[in-house]
Amino acid sequence: MILMDEPCSALDPIATSRIEDLMQEIKQQYTILIVTHNMQQAARVSDRVAFFTTEVSSTGDRRTGVMVEFGRTAKIYSNPSDTRTEQYVTGRFG
Amino acid sequence: MDELRKGFHNDLDEARAELVRLAASVTEAIPRATAVLLDGDLEGADYMIQGDDEIDARSLDLEERCYRILALQAPVASDLRQVVALLKMIADVERSADLVCNICKAARRIYGHDLDPKLRGIISRMGEQAQQLYTAAIESFVENDAAKAAAIDDMDSYLDDLQKQFVQAIFESHAAGRIDLQVAVQLAVVARFYERIGDHAVNVGERVRFVITGWLPEHHGAQRYRLRADDTGEMPRIGTVQDGDGTP
């Protein structure tokens, strides 16, 4: 498994495309786990998407990371099951 | 939390509003076309036919606006369904306006021929029903009401029945020698125009359901097709790949 944490941050579009092409190539042999804040990149390169957010505790400022939804990329970007995912991918909250 | 992409969502709302205005123009045109037909109003017919150019221009503008949204904003999820549905609905509304226009053209062709009260009565009812269907379609769109959108299909059955009654009444009127063959054919075509306007309203309703749920009635047929293909062992022509994850 290859872990990629923001592999294209601050790169220009051509360099980004090269990395994305490489990902398509090596996914035949490796599972790739990529963290990205670029929604379009997640849509282009992934087969499955997990959407994470933070929940703030009602009694203090404690923040907890939660996974909201995990599913096929096409489903997440066309008709997600969770309202929070829907609002995030459509830019209604961030 | 604060809404992001406000400008984009305003563009989308404006495109939706323009579709409502377009559909409202068609809804208002239906009773006017019926009046033109029943009154033999040649001047009114010309006015209505020329008015269709404006609908064409506005439909094109709205279509281009949707292309711009797709190209520049890359909408996803419900926003994407919204834009795709708008593009489909524009085609339905524009075609309905053409059909209204066709009713006016038929009015010119049957000018000077008297129609039976029975025929006139059914024409009135077809016009009213087509208008009600369109009104319900727009309301379901504005209110995002999937239940109201689903009810349009049943309303359309009544319009289909009226069309059948009308064709029967045309036969009777022609057999009794009250209308000649040319007029009978024109009237049958007019009935078809009203019936098709109803079908386009049903399409709009189906697109409203698609925006809300991501589901279309055609999914039933597609599912049947895939099941049949499985029974016969033949490969369906439509892809059934669910994952597409490229794993070997």
Side-chain angles (χ1 to χ4, degrees), chain B residues 175-210:
Chain B
R178 291 191 294 271
I179 51 171
D180 62 28
L181 184 62
Q182 195 198 353
V183 173
V185 170
Q186 285 300 329
L187 289 176
V189 169
V190 161
R192 176 81 176 143
F193 294 150
Y194 282 112
E195 191 264 327
R196 287 301 296 160
I197 292 172
D199 290 345
H200 287 294
V202 171
N203 284 354
V204 170
E206 287 177 356
R207 293 291 152 190
V208 170
R209 293 169 79 188
F210 170 74

CSV table of all heavy atoms in Angstrom, one decimal, chain B residues 175-210:
chain,number,residue,atom,x,y,z
B,175,ALA,N,-68.4,11.0,-40.3
B,175,ALA,CA,-69.3,10.0,-40.9
B,175,ALA,C,-70.7,10.7,-41.1
B,175,ALA,O,-71.4,10.4,-42.1
B,175,ALA,CB,-69.5,8.9,-39.9
B,176,ALA,N,-71.0,11.7,-40.3
B,176,ALA,CA,-72.3,12.4,-40.4
B,176,ALA,C,-72.2,13.5,-41.5
B,176,ALA,O,-73.2,14.2,-41.7
B,176,ALA,CB,-72.7,13.0,-39.1
B,177,GLY,N,-71.0,13.7,-42.0
B,177,GLY,CA,-70.8,14.7,-43.1
B,177,GLY,C,-70.7,16.1,-42.6
B,177,GLY,O,-70.9,17.0,-43.4
B,178,ARG,N,-70.5,16.3,-41.3
B,178,ARG,CA,-70.4,17.6,-40.8
B,178,ARG,C,-69.0,18.2,-41.0
B,178,ARG,O,-68.9,19.5,-41.0
B,178,ARG,CB,-70.8,17.6,-39.3
B,178,ARG,CG,-72.3,17.3,-39.1
B,178,ARG,CD,-72.7,17.6,-37.7
B,178,ARG,NE,-72.0,16.7,-36.7
B,178,ARG,CZ,-72.5,15.5,-36.3
B,178,ARG,NH1,-73.7,15.1,-36.8
B,178,ARG,NH2,-71.9,14.8,-35.5
B,179,ILE,N,-68.0,17.4,-41.1
B,179,ILE,CA,-66.6,17.9,-41.4
B,179,ILE,C,-66.0,17.1,-42.5
B,179,ILE,O,-66.3,15.9,-42.6
B,179,ILE,CB,-65.6,17.9,-40.2
B,179,ILE,CG1,-65.6,16.5,-39.5
B,179,ILE,CG2,-65.9,19.0,-39.2
B,179,ILE,CD1,-64.5,16.4,-38.5
B,180,ASP,N,-65.2,17.7,-43.4
B,180,ASP,CA,-64.6,16.9,-44.5
B,180,ASP,C,-63.3,16.3,-44.0
B,180,ASP,O,-62.9,16.5,-42.9
B,180,ASP,CB,-64.4,17.8,-45.8
B,180,ASP,CG,-63.5,19.0,-45.5
B,180,ASP,OD1,-62.6,18.8,-44.7
B,180,ASP,OD2,-63.6,20.0,-46.2
B,181,LEU,N,-62.8,15.4,-44.9
B,181,LEU,CA,-61.7,14.6,-44.5
B,181,LEU,C,-60.5,15.5,-44.1
B,181,LEU,O,-59.8,15.2,-43.1
B,181,LEU,CB,-61.3,13.7,-45.6
B,181,LEU,CG,-60.2,12.7,-45.3
B,181,LEU,CD1,-60.6,11.7,-44.1
B,181,LEU,CD2,-59.8,11.8,-46.5
B,182,GLN,N,-60.2,16.5,-44.8
B,182,GLN,CA,-59.1,17.4,-44.5
B,182,GLN,C,-59.1,18.0,-43.1
B,182,GLN,O,-58.1,17.9,-42.4
B,182,GLN,CB,-59.0,18.5,-45.6
B,182,GLN,CG,-57.7,19.2,-45.6
B,182,GLN,CD,-57.7,20.5,-46.3
B,182,GLN,OE1,-58.8,20.9,-46.9
B,182,GLN,NE2,-56.7,21.3,-46.2
B,183,VAL,N,-60.3,18.4,-42.8
B,183,VAL,CA,-60.5,19.0,-41.4
B,183,VAL,C,-60.4,17.9,-40.4
B,183,VAL,O,-59.7,18.1,-39.3
B,183,VAL,CB,-61.9,19.7,-41.3
B,183,VAL,CG1,-62.1,20.2,-39.9
B,183,VAL,CG2,-61.9,20.9,-42.3
B,184,ALA,N,-60.9,16.7,-40.7
B,184,ALA,CA,-60.8,15.6,-39.7
B,184,ALA,C,-59.4,15.3,-39.4
B,184,ALA,O,-59.0,15.1,-38.2
B,184,ALA,CB,-61.6,14.4,-40.3
B,185,VAL,N,-58.6,15.2,-40.5
B,185,VAL,CA,-57.2,14.9,-40.3
B,185,VAL,C,-56.5,16.0,-39.4
B,185,VAL,O,-55.7,15.7,-38.5
B,185,VAL,CB,-56.5,14.7,-41.6
B,185,VAL,CG1,-54.9,14.6,-41.4
B,185,VAL,CG2,-57.0,13.5,-42.3
B,186,GLN,N,-56.7,17.2,-39.8
B,186,GLN,CA,-56.1,18.3,-39.0
B,186,GLN,C,-56.5,18.3,-37.5
B,186,GLN,O,-55.6,18.5,-36.7
B,186,GLN,CB,-56.6,19.7,-39.6
B,186,GLN,CG,-55.9,20.1,-40.9
B,186,GLN,CD,-54.4,20.2,-40.8
B,186,GLN,OE1,-53.9,20.5,-39.8
B,186,GLN,NE2,-53.7,19.8,-41.9
B,187,LEU,N,-57.8,18.0,-37.3
B,187,LEU,CA,-58.2,17.9,-35.9
B,187,LEU,C,-57.5,16.8,-35.1
B,187,LEU,O,-57.1,16.9,-34.0
B,187,LEU,CB,-59.7,17.8,-35.8
B,187,LEU,CG,-60.5,19.0,-36.2
B,187,LEU,CD1,-62.0,18.7,-36.2
B,187,LEU,CD2,-60.2,20.2,-35.3
B,188,ALA,N,-57.4,15.6,-35.8
B,188,ALA,CA,-56.7,14.5,-35.2
B,188,ALA,C,-55.3,14.9,-34.8
B,188,ALA,O,-54.8,14.5,-33.7
B,188,ALA,CB,-56.7,13.3,-36.1
B,189,VAL,N,-54.6,15.6,-35.7
B,189,VAL,CA,-53.3,16.1,-35.4
B,189,VAL,C,-53.2,17.0,-34.3
B,189,VAL,O,-52.3,17.0,-33.4
B,189,VAL,CB,-52.7,16.7,-36.7
B,189,VAL,CG1,-51.4,17.4,-36.4
B,189,VAL,CG2,-52.5,15.6,-37.8
B,190,VAL,N,-54.2,17.9,-34.2
B,190,VAL,CA,-54.3,18.9,-33.1
B,190,VAL,C,-54.4,18.1,-31.7
B,190,VAL,O,-53.7,18.5,-30.7
B,190,VAL,CB,-55.5,19.8,-33.2
B,190,VAL,CG1,-55.9,20.5,-31.9
B,190,VAL,CG2,-55.2,20.9,-34.3
B,191,ALA,N,-55.3,17.1,-31.7
B,191,ALA,CA,-55.4,16.3,-30.5
B,191,ALA,C,-54.1,15.7,-30.1
B,191,ALA,O,-53.7,15.6,-28.9
B,191,ALA,CB,-56.4,15.1,-30.7
B,192,ARG,N,-53.3,15.3,-31.1
B,192,ARG,CA,-52.0,14.7,-30.8
B,192,ARG,C,-51.1,15.8,-30.2
B,192,ARG,O,-50.2,15.5,-29.3
B,192,ARG,CB,-51.4,14.2,-32.1
B,192,ARG,CG,-50.0,13.6,-32.1
B,192,ARG,CD,-50.0,12.2,-31.5
B,192,ARG,NE,-48.7,11.7,-31.6
B,192,ARG,CZ,-48.1,10.9,-30.6
B,192,ARG,NH1,-48.9,10.6,-29.6
B,192,ARG,NH2,-46.9,10.5,-30.7
B,193,PHE,N,-51.2,17.0,-30.7
B,193,PHE,CA,-50.3,18.1,-30.2
B,193,PHE,C,-50.6,18.3,-28.7
B,193,PHE,O,-49.7,18.4,-27.9
B,193,PHE,CB,-50.6,19.4,-30.9
B,193,PHE,CG,-50.1,19.4,-32.3
B,193,PHE,CD1,-50.8,20.2,-33.3
B,193,PHE,CD2,-49.1,18.6,-32.8
B,193,PHE,CE1,-50.4,20.2,-34.6
B,193,PHE,CE2,-48.7,18.6,-34.1
B,193,PHE,CZ,-49.3,19.4,-35.0
B,194,TYR,N,-51.9,18.3,-28.3
B,194,TYR,CA,-52.2,18.5,-26.9
B,194,TYR,C,-51.7,17.3,-26.0
B,194,TYR,O,-51.1,17.5,-25.0
B,194,TYR,CB,-53.7,18.6,-26.7
B,194,TYR,CG,-54.3,19.9,-27.0
B,194,TYR,CD1,-55.2,20.1,-28.1
B,194,TYR,CD2,-54.1,21.0,-26.2
B,194,TYR,CE1,-55.7,21.3,-28.4
B,194,TYR,CE2,-54.6,22.3,-26.5
B,194,TYR,CZ,-55.5,22.4,-27.6
B,194,TYR,OH,-56.0,23.6,-27.9
B,195,GLU,N,-51.8,16.1,-26.6
B,195,GLU,CA,-51.4,14.9,-25.9
B,195,GLU,C,-49.9,15.0,-25.7
B,195,GLU,O,-49.4,14.6,-24.6
B,195,GLU,CB,-51.8,13.7,-26.7
B,195,GLU,CG,-51.7,12.4,-26.0
B,195,GLU,CD,-50.4,11.7,-26.4
B,195,GLU,OE1,-50.0,11.9,-27.5
B,195,GLU,OE2,-49.9,11.0,-25.5
B,196,ARG,N,-49.2,15.4,-26.7
B,196,ARG,CA,-47.7,15.5,-26.6
B,196,ARG,C,-47.3,16.6,-25.6
B,196,ARG,O,-46.3,16.4,-24.9
B,196,ARG,CB,-47.1,15.8,-28.0
B,196,ARG,CG,-47.1,14.7,-29.0
B,196,ARG,CD,-46.4,13.4,-28.4
B,196,ARG,NE,-44.9,13.7,-28.2
B,196,ARG,CZ,-44.2,12.9,-27.4
B,196,ARG,NH1,-44.7,11.9,-26.7
B,196,ARG,NH2,-42.9,13.2,-27.3
B,197,ILE,N,-48.0,17.7,-25.5
B,197,ILE,CA,-47.7,18.7,-24.5
B,197,ILE,C,-47.8,18.1,-23.1
B,197,ILE,O,-46.9,18.3,-22.3
B,197,ILE,CB,-48.6,19.9,-24.6
B,197,ILE,CG1,-48.4,20.7,-25.9
B,197,ILE,CG2,-48.5,20.9,-23.4
B,197,ILE,CD1,-49.4,21.8,-26.3
B,198,GLY,N,-48.8,17.3,-22.9
B,198,GLY,CA,-49.0,16.6,-21.7
B,198,GLY,C,-47.8,15.7,-21.4
B,198,GLY,O,-47.2,15.6,-20.3
B,199,ASP,N,-47.3,14.9,-22.4
B,199,ASP,CA,-46.2,14.0,-22.3
B,199,ASP,C,-44.9,14.8,-21.8
B,199,ASP,O,-44.1,14.4,-21.0
B,199,ASP,CB,-45.8,13.3,-23.6
B,199,ASP,CG,-46.9,12.3,-23.9
B,199,ASP,OD1,-47.7,11.9,-23.0
B,199,ASP,OD2,-46.9,11.8,-25.0
B,200,HIS,N,-44.7,16.0,-22.4
B,200,HIS,CA,-43.5,16.8,-22.0
B,200,HIS,C,-43.6,17.3,-20.6
B,200,HIS,O,-42.6,17.4,-19.9
B,200,HIS,CB,-43.4,18.0,-23.0
B,200,HIS,CG,-42.9,17.6,-24.3
B,200,HIS,ND1,-41.6,17.1,-24.5
B,200,HIS,CD2,-43.4,17.6,-25.6
B,200,HIS,CE1,-41.4,16.8,-25.8
B,200,HIS,NE2,-42.5,17.1,-26.5
B,201,ALA,N,-44.9,17.6,-20.1
B,201,ALA,CA,-45.1,18.0,-18.7
B,201,ALA,C,-44.7,16.8,-17.8
B,201,ALA,O,-44.1,17.0,-16.8
B,201,ALA,CB,-46.5,18.4,-18.5
B,202,VAL,N,-45.1,15.6,-18.3
B,202,VAL,CA,-44.7,14.4,-17.5
B,202,VAL,C,-43.2,14.2,-17.4
B,202,VAL,O,-42.6,13.9,-16.4
B,202,VAL,CB,-45.3,13.1,-18.2
B,202,VAL,CG1,-44.8,11.8,-17.5
B,202,VAL,CG2,-46.8,13.1,-18.1
B,203,ASN,N,-42.5,14.5,-18.6
B,203,ASN,CA,-41.0,14.4,-18.6
B,203,ASN,C,-40.4,15.4,-17.6
B,203,ASN,O,-39.5,15.1,-16.9
B,203,ASN,CB,-40.5,14.8,-20.0
B,203,ASN,CG,-40.6,13.7,-21.0
B,203,ASN,OD1,-41.1,12.6,-20.6
B,203,ASN,ND2,-40.3,13.9,-22.2
B,204,VAL,N,-41.0,16.6,-17.6
B,204,VAL,CA,-40.5,17.7,-16.6
B,204,VAL,C,-40.7,17.1,-15.2
B,204,VAL,O,-39.7,17.2,-14.4
B,204,VAL,CB,-41.2,19.0,-16.8
B,204,VAL,CG1,-40.9,20.0,-15.7
B,204,VAL,CG2,-40.9,19.6,-18.1
B,205,GLY,N,-41.8,16.5,-14.9
B,205,GLY,CA,-42.1,15.9,-13.6
B,205,GLY,C,-41.0,14.9,-13.2
B,205,GLY,O,-40.5,14.8,-12.1
B,206,GLU,N,-40.7,14.0,-14.2
B,206,GLU,CA,-39.8,13.0,-14.0
B,206,GLU,C,-38.4,13.5,-13.7
B,206,GLU,O,-37.6,13.0,-12.9
B,206,GLU,CB,-39.7,12.0,-15.2
B,206,GLU,CG,-40.9,11.1,-15.4
B,206,GLU,CD,-40.9,10.3,-16.6
B,206,GLU,OE1,-40.0,10.4,-17.4
B,206,GLU,OE2,-41.8,9.5,-16.8
B,207,ARG,N,-38.0,14.6,-14.4
B,207,ARG,CA,-36.7,15.3,-14.1
B,207,ARG,C,-36.7,15.9,-12.7
B,207,ARG,O,-35.6,15.9,-12.1
B,207,ARG,CB,-36.4,16.3,-15.2
B,207,ARG,CG,-36.2,15.8,-16.5
B,207,ARG,CD,-34.9,15.0,-16.6
B,207,ARG,NE,-35.0,14.0,-17.7
B,207,ARG,CZ,-34.1,13.0,-17.9
B,207,ARG,NH1,-33.1,12.9,-17.1
B,207,ARG,NH2,-34.3,12.1,-18.8
B,208,VAL,N,-37.8,16.4,-12.3
B,208,VAL,CA,-37.9,16.9,-10.9
B,208,VAL,C,-37.6,15.8,-9.9
B,208,VAL,O,-36.8,16.0,-9.0
B,208,VAL,CB,-39.3,17.6,-10.6
B,208,VAL,CG1,-39.5,17.9,-9.1
B,208,VAL,CG2,-39.5,18.8,-11.5
B,209,ARG,N,-38.2,14.6,-10.1
B,209,ARG,CA,-37.9,13.5,-9.2
B,209,ARG,C,-36.5,13.1,-9.3
B,209,ARG,O,-35.9,12.7,-8.3
B,209,ARG,CB,-38.8,12.3,-9.6
B,209,ARG,CG,-40.3,12.6,-9.4
B,209,ARG,CD,-41.2,11.5,-10.1
B,209,ARG,NE,-41.2,10.3,-9.3
B,209,ARG,CZ,-41.8,9.2,-9.7
B,209,ARG,NH1,-42.3,9.1,-10.9
B,209,ARG,NH2,-41.8,8.1,-8.9
B,210,PHE,N,-35.9,13.2,-10.5
B,210,PHE,CA,-34.5,12.8,-10.7
B,210,PHE,C,-33.6,13.8,-9.8
B,210,PHE,O,-32.6,13.4,-9.2
B,210,PHE,CB,-34.1,12.9,-12.1
B,210,PHE,CG,-32.6,12.8,-12.4
B,210,PHE,CD1,-32.0,11.6,-12.3
B,210,PHE,CD2,-31.9,13.9,-12.8
B,210,PHE,CE1,-30.6,11.4,-12.5
B,210,PHE,CE2,-30.5,13.8,-13.0
B,210,PHE,CZ,-29.9,12.6,-12.9
